[in-house]
Amino acid sequence: MKKVLLYLNKEIFEPTDYKLLPFDFDLYGGNTGNLLFFQASQQYLLNSGIDFDYLNPNMTIDEINEKYRCIILPTANLLSANKKMRQRMRSYTELFSQSKIPVFILGIGAQAPDYEALPDLYQTIKNDASAFIKSVYETGGQFSLRGYFTEELFKKLGFRQAVVTGCPSLYQQGRDLQVSTNKVDISEFKPLINGTVGYLSTPEVRCFFKDYQQSQYLDQDQFLDILYKEFPLKINDTIMAKLLKKYSATGLKLITENRLNLFADLPVWKKYIKDNNFNFAFGQRIHGNIISVLSNVPAVVHQHDSRTRELAEFFEIPTISSIGNKSLYEIYEKADYSNFNRNFAAKYDNFATFLNRHGIVSDIAPKKTDKTNELPLPQITNHEFIAYLKERLPDQNRLSKFFRFKRYFYKTFAHILPGKAGNKYMIKYTRLKNLLEI
């Protein structure tokens, strides 16, 4: 019987050399969160004993048609107005239009600012998306969708046969995954926070790090270089100002306090969560929250676009749309996983049935883990620079002079210009102000 082609580079699944990670980061799609559904797709093939190969970039479509029985492509937010994603859709369309074997797309999602933006997204990508979807169906393949927002886009484009399964990432612990509904006392509260540089430097999130000294920030992309790429040891005021603008004062402070990490090996990531007794996760990164759920740690998703919202809603992971005046412990106390626990097995069965029905795999139940669980924690390459940074960071207030003109410029124009133009400059002013505050 012919093999299956998993349309992913094998290097993604090798133990990470963190010295090389900054130079190889494109393998991860620029975000370690992608590893969750990449690895899940690999795991399901391994669990079933399926004979499969990984993508070789030098393969031609004729070779693929000759050697393989089907193509498996896990992807997340491909259906996006982003130019890079639209170009990728066109590339896939060109490739799959020549495929003589079925193509199966796992966990594909649409990305828009919110649900109300569906008409605009449809108008922007309808030609690229329709051609791409049609090229897959013409191979005899099928789509599993991230959530019901994506299903609505498919229907609007005229395609009604796709199946909503959620993201493949959340099924890799098996059918019996449950999240504890017991609550710890505030004295034992140890949260993980995820997001972006702009997010962690907002006043609300900054307070979380002050209020909960055991809290940590788990990054997925933006702090990669400063953690794992060698920086020059001399930090003059100009360099310090650039660091503050790129990483924020809060981000730099968390690094010097050893409260910020980035992992590119999922077993290590999960082991770190368990071994350090974290008991809550919160933030805007959907897979940063999902890996906590996979570790049986409750999470709340701070929804900020359609893709995070639809996936959280599909799995019944608790969400909030705004923090307001809530403390992080209050958000944790109100997180209700009863519906998640009650309905997860049915969702698992639905995804397993999808894979089985199309002859992809017959069994996705997890098997005994391998020795990747024994991988050590990553060693921060840039520790000398960070030690030097720790000495300089208290001086950051005097560096505000580097930004004085910009702040004055933004604030002045925010008050002078009417309507949207003024609001634009006020946003810039607020963002810069937040970046400089701890």
Side-chain angles (χ1 to χ4, degrees):
M1 190 175 185
K2 290 184 178 180
K3 296 180 179 181
V4 168
L5 177 61
L6 180 59
Y7 208 79
L8 293 171
N9 193 311
K10 187 177 182 179
E11 290 182 43
I12 295 170
F13 306 102
E14 301 292 339
T16 301
D17 182 342
Y18 283 84
K19 290 182 180 179
L20 300 177
L21 184 60
F23 308 100
D24 296 337
F25 204 57
D26 284 348
L27 286 172
Y28 304 92
N31 175 1
T32 56
N34 293 333
L35 288 168
L36 271 80
F37 59 86
F38 289 165
Q39 179 169 290
S41 302
Q42 178 207 45
Q43 179 181 306
Y44 303 142
L45 294 172
L46 289 170
N47 289 352
S48 286
I50 298 294
D51 196 7
F52 72 96
D53 283 338
Y54 302 92
L55 174 67
N56 181 331
N58 297 319
M59 287 177 176
T60 66
I61 189 61
D62 290 335
E63 289 178 89
I64 293 172
N65 286 332
E66 178 66 26
K67 290 178 64 177
Y68 302 101
R69 64 179 176 90
C70 69
I71 297 170
I72 307 296
L73 173 62
T75 185
N77 54 326
L78 186 63
L79 300 170
S80 165
N82 179 279
K83 289 183 180 179
K84 184 177 179 180
M85 292 300 183
R86 292 176 65 189
Q87 179 56 50
R88 189 171 296 172
M89 271 192 276
R90 290 192 284 269
S91 297
Y92 284 144
T93 300
E94 183 178 355
L95 177 71
F96 297 150
S97 295
Q98 303 172 66
S99 178
K100 296 178 181 178
I101 58 175
V103 177
F104 297 99
I105 311 294
L106 303 185
I108 192 170
Q111 182 170 0
D114 50 48
Y115 284 1
E116 289 69 32
L118 179 61
D120 291 339
L121 178 64
Y122 166 76
Q123 287 296 332
T124 303
I125 71 169
K126 62 180 179 181
N127 293 333
D128 291 329
S130 294
F132 164 67
I133 295 169
K134 184 179 179 183
S135 73
V136 170
Y137 279 130
E138 287 181 345
T139 69
Q142 181 56 285
F143 290 86
S144 82
L145 307 183
R146 186 183 184 101
Y148 296 111
F149 177 81
T150 302
E151 184 182 45
E152 285 302 309
L153 177 63
F154 264 64
K155 289 177 179 178
K156 201 169 177 63
L157 291 165
F159 303 99
R160 296 181 172 271
Q161 59 269 57
V163 179
V164 178
T165 64
C167 179
S169 61
L170 206 45
Y171 302 117
Q172 55 191 299
Q173 288 296 106
R175 189 175 187 272
D176 299 325
L177 177 65
Q178 298 281 281
V179 176
S180 174
T181 56
N182 296 327
K183 304 297 181 182
V184 301
D185 185 77
I186 193 169
S187 62
E188 300 173 349
F189 187 51
K190 193 173 181 181
L192 288 168
I193 298 166
N194 56 74
T196 61
V197 169
Y199 183 66
L200 73 85
S201 59
T202 59
E204 299 90 345
V205 177
R206 283 204 312 269
C207 283
F208 295 161
F209 295 111
K210 291 178 182 178
D211 294 343
Y212 310 100
Q213 289 296 310
Q214 295 193 92
S215 63
Q216 289 198 20
Y217 180 80
L218 290 190
D219 179 47
Q220 294 175 203
D221 45 21
Q222 292 180 303
F223 289 86
L224 176 70
D225 284 354
I226 197 168
L227 291 174
Y228 299 116
K229 193 174 181 180
E230 290 189 10
F231 275 38
L233 289 181
K234 291 184 179 180
I235 308 178
N236 58 32
D237 284 357
T238 302
I239 291 173
M240 190 67 187
K242 288 180 179 178
L243 291 173
L244 286 166
K245 191 172 181 182
K246 183 173 182 178
Y247 298 111
S248 79
T250 299
L252 295 179
K253 184 172 187 288
L254 291 172
I255 288 174
T256 62
E257 294 175 344
N258 196 29
R259 295 171 66 192
L260 190 153
N261 281 291
L262 179 152
F263 299 105
D265 292 305
L266 292 192
V268 178
W269 195 347
K270 288 169 64 178
K271 188 173 185 295
Y272 184 79
I273 293 172
K274 289 184 177 181
D275 288 355
N276 288 277
N277 298 312
F278 292 105
N279 41 43
F280 183 55
F282 176 80
Q284 294 183 327
R285 307 302 285 263
I286 185 66
H287 286 102
N289 290 309
I290 282 178
I291 195 166
S292 294
V293 173
L294 287 169
S295 305
N296 306 105
V297 172
V300 170
V301 176
H302 188 177
Q303 62 186 45
H304 68 288
D305 63 7
S306 66
R307 66 192 178 91
T308 53
R309 180 180 173 184
E310 74 164 337
L311 191 53
E313 287 181 350
F314 175 80
F315 282 115
E316 297 173 279
I317 296 172
T319 70
I320 65 169
S321 56
S322 65
I323 297 171
N325 295 321
K326 304 181 194 74
S327 72
L328 192 58
Y329 188 74
E330 286 178 297
I331 295 170
Y332 161 73
E333 280 192 304
K334 292 179 181 178
D336 183 0
Y337 267 81
S338 54
N339 287 337
F340 176 95
N341 291 336
R342 186 182 305 114
N343 300 319
F344 180 78
K347 294 180 172 69
Y348 177 96
D349 292 342
N350 177 53
F351 180 67
T353 299
F354 172 87
L355 296 179
N356 186 270
R357 181 189 303 128
H358 295 290
I360 301 170
V361 300
S362 58
D363 180 19
I364 65 171
K367 302 296 189 292
K368 187 177 179 180
T369 54
D370 61 22
K371 291 184 178 180
T372 55
N373 280 316
E374 300 171 9
L375 290 170
L377 286 173
Q379 297 300 308
I380 292 174
T381 307
N382 213 14
H383 57 88
E384 288 185 70
F385 176 82
I386 292 170
Y388 183 46
L389 177 65
K390 189 173 184 176
E391 297 176 7
R392 291 295 313 275
L393 193 56
D395 296 337
Q396 64 91 19
N397 287 329
R398 72 183 180 82
L399 293 173
S400 63
K401 66 183 181 181
F402 279 82
F403 304 100
R404 189 176 299 153
F405 176 75
K406 272 193 174 181
R407 287 196 292 181
Y408 175 78
F409 174 83
Y410 292 156
K411 194 171 184 179
T412 300
F413 274 78
H415 288 99
I416 292 175
L417 296 175
K420 289 184 178 179
N423 289 338
K424 179 181 175 182
Y425 280 103
M426 181 53 72
I427 290 170
K428 286 186 174 184
Y429 169 78
T430 304
R431 187 176 296 152
L432 183 58
K433 183 174 179 292
N434 286 339
L435 285 172
L436 300 177
E437 293 186 10
I438 294 180

